Amino acid sequence: MNPVKSTLFMAALLIGAQAFSQEIEDKKGIVAKNAELVKVQDGFEFTEGPAVNRFGDVFFTDQPNNRIHKWNALSNEVSVFKEDAGRSNGLYFMLDGTLIAAADNKNELWAIDTDGNHDVWITAFKGKKLNGPNDLWIRPKGGIYFTDPLYPRPYWEDRQKESEQEGQNVYFLSADKTELFIVADDLVQPNGIVGTPDGKFLFVSDIGAKKTYKYEMREDGYLINKTLFCEMGSDGMTIDDRGNLYLTGDGVAVFDRKGEQIAHIPVPAKWTANVVFGSLDRKTLFITAMDAVYTLQMKTRGVW
C-alpha cells in the first residue's frame, strides 16, 4: 500500500469509527428500545440491492464480485445464492417468488427462479441499450418501475461508455411484459425507487439533483402530479407501515409522510447504498453499506 492509499485507508477507518460511535437520532420512536446497529458480515467488495422474500430472508448483491447472497432471517447466516449474477444491482421479489434483478453487466432486466436460473426479460429500449437498470419496484397489481441512470462500468467491454438513450429515465414494464415505456424523462440521475402498498404513489430519488420526488401512479402505469418530497437524493430506499421513507447515502435518513426528517441512523461506512425490512415480522432493518451488511431492530414494521 503506497503512502497515499495508506492515508486514505486510515481516513476511511476514522470516518467509520466516528460514524459508528454516533448515536441514532430518533424523534418519533421508530427504532426499538436500546437497539444497536449490528454488523452481520463483512468481507464483500460493495453490497447493494437488498430484497426480502415472503419468509423474511434478504437477498443482496455484491456487484463487483458478481454474486447474489442470501441472509437467512432465522439463522442470521449469509450464503451465496447465485454466482455469475449479471453484476446485478437492484433486486425485488414478485409474489410468486421470482427475483427480478437489474443486471448491469449487459444493461438488462433478469427474472431469477428459486434455483438461481434466470431468464432475460429486457435487453434494450427501442433497439438501443439501456444505460444500466439500477433499482426497481414492482407494483402490487403488477408492472415494474425501474430507474436507468448512467454509471459507466470498467467491465463494459462490448459497448461504448456513453449513453445510447436520450437521457437517464424511469421506465415501466407492463405486467404482461408487452409494453415498455418511459414514465419520467426530466431527472438528472434517477436512482432509488419505491412505492406505497396501496399502489397510489411512487417515490423516485434524483441522486444527481439531490432531491426525491413523489408521483401519483395511473392505472396504465404512467406517472402524474410530480411533487418535491424532500431535498435529499438517495441510492436506495424503502418505506414502513407508517408511511415513513428511508433514504440512504450518509447512513440512513428517515422522513415522515410530509417530507420532514424524523430520524438518522449512522452507519460505519463512507457510503450506505441501500436498505430493506427483513425477518418474518418485517421489523429488522437490513442495511447494505460498502463491504458489509448490518441489521437494526425497529418498532416500525416494513412494507417491503
Side-chain angles (χ1 to χ4, degrees):
M1 183 179 292
N2 64 42
V4 174
K5 287 186 176 180
S6 178
T7 301
L8 290 173
F9 178 72
M10 290 304 297
L13 286 180
L14 289 171
I15 291 171
Q18 182 182 11
F20 203 58
S21 67
Q22 292 177 357
E23 292 186 2
I24 295 171
E25 299 174 13
D26 183 7
K27 299 177 182 178
K28 298 294 183 179
I30 65 173
V31 179
K33 186 177 180 180
N34 299 323
E36 295 183 353
L37 191 70
V38 176
K39 181 187 289 186
V40 176
Q41 186 169 316
D42 58 15
F44 307 102
E45 192 164 344
F46 191 85
T47 56
E48 248 287 13
V52 62
N53 66 13
R54 63 190 182 94
F55 304 107
D57 304 319
V58 175
F59 290 63
F60 64 94
T61 66
D62 185 358
Q63 191 184 36
N65 287 321
N66 201 16
R67 296 190 188 101
I68 297 176
H69 293 269
K70 174 186 175 181
W71 171 72
N72 187 299
L74 294 177
S75 68
N76 197 37
E77 294 178 347
V78 175
S79 59
V80 175
F81 169 68
K82 182 174 176 60
E83 301 274 9
D84 298 322
R87 296 190 184 270
S88 292
N89 198 330
L91 306 173
Y92 204 91
F93 275 98
M94 297 182 67
L95 292 177
D96 65 1
T98 301
L99 183 62
I100 308 301
D104 191 72
N105 190 41
K106 295 184 178 180
N107 313 90
E108 298 170 333
L109 210 63
W110 285 11
I112 305 172
D113 66 21
T114 54
D115 294 321
N117 304 308
H118 76 272
D119 291 322
V120 179
W121 277 9
I122 296 177
T123 60
F125 177 68
K126 293 186 176 180
K128 298 180 180 180
K129 278 189 175 293
L130 293 162
N131 296 318
N134 184 279
D135 202 3
L136 64 147
W137 179 74
I138 300 176
R139 191 171 61 168
K141 65 179 65 177
I144 302 171
Y145 290 95
F146 67 91
T147 57
D148 187 46
L150 179 65
Y151 294 108
R153 309 296 190 183
Y155 48 77
W156 285 350
E157 298 177 354
D158 61 343
R159 60 166 287 189
Q160 294 183 357
K161 293 181 173 60
E162 292 83 27
S163 177
E164 295 184 18
Q165 299 296 329
E166 294 182 2
Q168 303 183 49
N169 306 313
V170 181
Y171 294 83
F172 180 76
L173 176 67
S174 62
D176 60 7
K177 303 191 294 293
T178 61
E179 294 182 273
L180 174 66
F181 50 86
I182 294 172
V183 292
D185 61 2
D186 59 348
L187 303 176
V188 178
Q189 196 168 41
N191 200 310
I193 187 169
V194 74
T196 56
D198 58 10
K200 292 182 178 180
F201 300 102
L202 185 73
F203 296 92
V204 181
S205 163
D206 187 347
I207 199 168
K210 298 180 179 179
K211 301 179 188 299
T212 294
Y213 295 98
K214 180 180 180 181
Y215 298 84
E216 288 184 42
M217 287 180 276
R218 293 195 338 187
E219 184 72 22
D220 58 9
Y222 282 97
L223 303 177
I224 58 174
N225 297 332
K226 173 186 176 185
T227 58
L228 178 66
F229 177 74
C230 68
E231 295 277 356
M232 177 180 168
S234 185
D235 197 341
M237 61 175 72
T238 193
I239 193 170
D240 68 23
D241 60 356
R242 298 183 189 178
N244 299 318
L245 197 67
Y246 295 65
L247 307 185
T248 62
D250 175 17
V252 181
V254 186
F255 294 80
D256 67 12
R257 292 173 180 267
K258 297 179 180 179
E260 297 178 2
Q261 187 168 342
I262 59 170
H264 180 256
I265 302 164
V267 178
K270 290 192 295 182
W271 185 254
T272 299
N274 217 323
V275 64
V276 76
F277 280 88
S279 297
L280 200 56
D281 64 1
R282 299 296 191 274
K283 287 189 174 183
T284 300
L285 194 65
F286 189 95
I287 303 166
T288 62
M290 302 298 290
D291 68 338
V293 291
Y294 302 83
T295 57
L296 179 68
Q297 297 307 307
M298 307 292 291
K299 281 186 181 177
T300 52
R301 187 187 308 275
V303 173
W304 315 117

